[in-house]
Structure formats: C-alpha cells, structure tokens
Amino acid sequence: MYIIYISLHRIADAWKFMNWADLVIPIGGDGTFLLSSKLITDNVKPVLGINPSIRSNDNNIFTLPPKYATNIESIFERLHTGKYTLLMRSRIRTVMNGEGLYRRPFHIHEKSRTQGEKRAEALARTTQRKIADSLQPRQRTLPWLALNEVFIGEFLAVRPITLQIRVEDQEPHQIRSSGMCVCTGTGSQFWYKSINIQSAETVRCIVEIATGIKLSNEETNELLHKYHQALIYSPEDLNMVYMIREMYHTTRCKNQKCCPDRQKCNKLTVKSCGFDAGLVIDGSISLPFNDGTIATFDIKPEYSLKSIMLT
C-alpha cells in the first residue's frame, strides 16, 4: 500500500490542498482538530485526529487515545484492514443578514483583542467603510460550519446583550442576558455543559426546599452526575440546543410565557440589538453581530463532519 501525503505546518495553508486530499489528519489536540474541521465543508471527506503527545489523556474528544502516539503505523494498519467506524458529527450552518458581513473575520487564535484607542477606531464606521459595506450583499452563508458551538455576546463581558430569538416557527422572544450559546451534540460536552453545571450546594438546597429531605454528600454527587450526564446528547443528533447565559428575569416573565433558558431545536433565528457584539464559531472565528444583524442557524445531514474512530 502506497500513501502520498503532504505535511503542513500552518492551518492557513491547508485549504489549498483540500480538494486533493482523500483524508485529513490534524496532528495536535482538540483545538487543532476544531481549526482543521473548518476547512472541510462537506460530509464526504473523512478526518482523523492524532495527538502526538504521549502525556495527553483519554478524555480528548476528537483525537485518538495516547497509546497511538508512539505507534503511528498501527493507525494505518487498522485503516487498511477496516478496523474503524465512521461518526457523522452534526454541524451548524450560519446564514447572516445585515451590513459588513464580508469584512475580514477576527481569528482569536492568531491575535489578542484590540484594546484602547485602536478598539475605538475599529468601532468607528468611517465614510469609506459605510460605502464598502453598502456595496456588499446583505446576506451571507458563512463558509465555516460549527462543530461545537456558536456563541453570541458583547465583547465587553460586563455589558449585557439584548437579542430577539425565534425557535423554528414559534413566536419570537426578546431577551437580555450575558450571551447565548448554540451547540451541537458534540458541543454538549464542552461549553454548553460548563454553562449548565450546578454546584452541590445548589442541588442540596433545592432538594431540601422541595422535599424537606437533606441529601448526604454521596446522594448529592450521584444526583449531580446524573444531571450533568443528561445534558450530553449524541454527536450525530440533527438538532441543536441553545442555552441563554444568565438571562435577566423580570416580573413580566413571571406573569407571561417567556423564552426558556434552553431548548432543543432544528432551526433558530437570532436578531441582535448589540452595540459591540460578536458571533464566535467554535471559539476561534469571530464576526461582528451588532444592532439589526440577523443570524439563522440550522442543521442538516450534508453539513456533518465524517470523523474516523478506530475500533
């Protein structure tokens, strides 16, 4: 068996060879895998993550166990003999409507956030920028599919964001919060789970108020484990889950039907009322998401990522 391969040291150069490659092998941790997945825009080309560090743990979601780091040949032997399965990880497509959608995105892994006067200059809409924005289409299907999640929020952490949310064909809700996370089944193990994690003290207190029973530490931890595990769902599930982070609850919400903190759905539309807000894909690519901009998220089988799992 002969294998022709090209080794690249920069993710930015890899897109040139996507059509040529039959298999994409990101070598690194989960972050490298996520960046590499952005280069694959269909559900045909397979990807296999290898972590070269023998000190990595078995908790890596996307890469092979550390035992393969010192035995690379065995990986290709298993591939050649068919000792693998395919996991079709669902991904989220984002369609945006608004102005300035074709500006260069902010790559979080390449540079830090612009600060001070430079940030003020970046926010100012000059006449030249207004003209450039007006000449661009007002709708854009983003070329990056989200494997984990899409997060929406203000860049200044202490500033809340107001969003209008429509789940599938339901009535829209306007909410004010610290941000919003829209995740896949794969992403339900990451940031989404972290946002929903509850402390033992909170669970113990709620149970005592509701039932009058004081749970032991062992009972509390068992209940917590079941709750946290219930947050995770299949990577192949063709539904997404949104989670509103620290939603502002008012007296009006107590008397009327308000937006659920989290909900599973297949399609989601979000309109921004933000000032200096961003839409961040998989924690790596950020685009402006300010007042009037609309983002529609959906999941279909053709957006999936074909991930190879050795058996």
Side-chain angles (χ1 to χ4, degrees), residues 123 153-161 176-179 248 274-277:
L123 284 172
E154 291 281 355
F155 277 110
L156 185 61
V158 297
R159 181 186 291 137
I161 185 171
R176 189 171 174 82
S177 70
S178 297
Y248 286 32
F275 169 70
D276 181 21

Side-chain angles (χ1 to χ4, degrees), residues 34-82:
L34 280 171
L35 288 173
S36 301
S37 72
K38 300 291 171 292
L39 303 172
I40 303 173
T41 57
D42 57 39
N43 65 350
V44 177
K45 197 179 302 296
V47 60
L48 173 67
I50 299 176
N51 193 328
S53 174
I54 59 174
R55 289 178 291 182
S56 64
N57 56 54
D58 290 323
N59 295 326
N60 288 343
I61 302 299
F62 301 118
T63 59
L64 296 177
K67 65 180 181 181
Y68 290 104
T70 56
N71 192 6
I72 300 298
E73 288 184 2
S74 66
I75 297 175
F76 294 96
E77 288 174 0
R78 285 180 172 272
L79 291 176
H80 183 61
T81 56

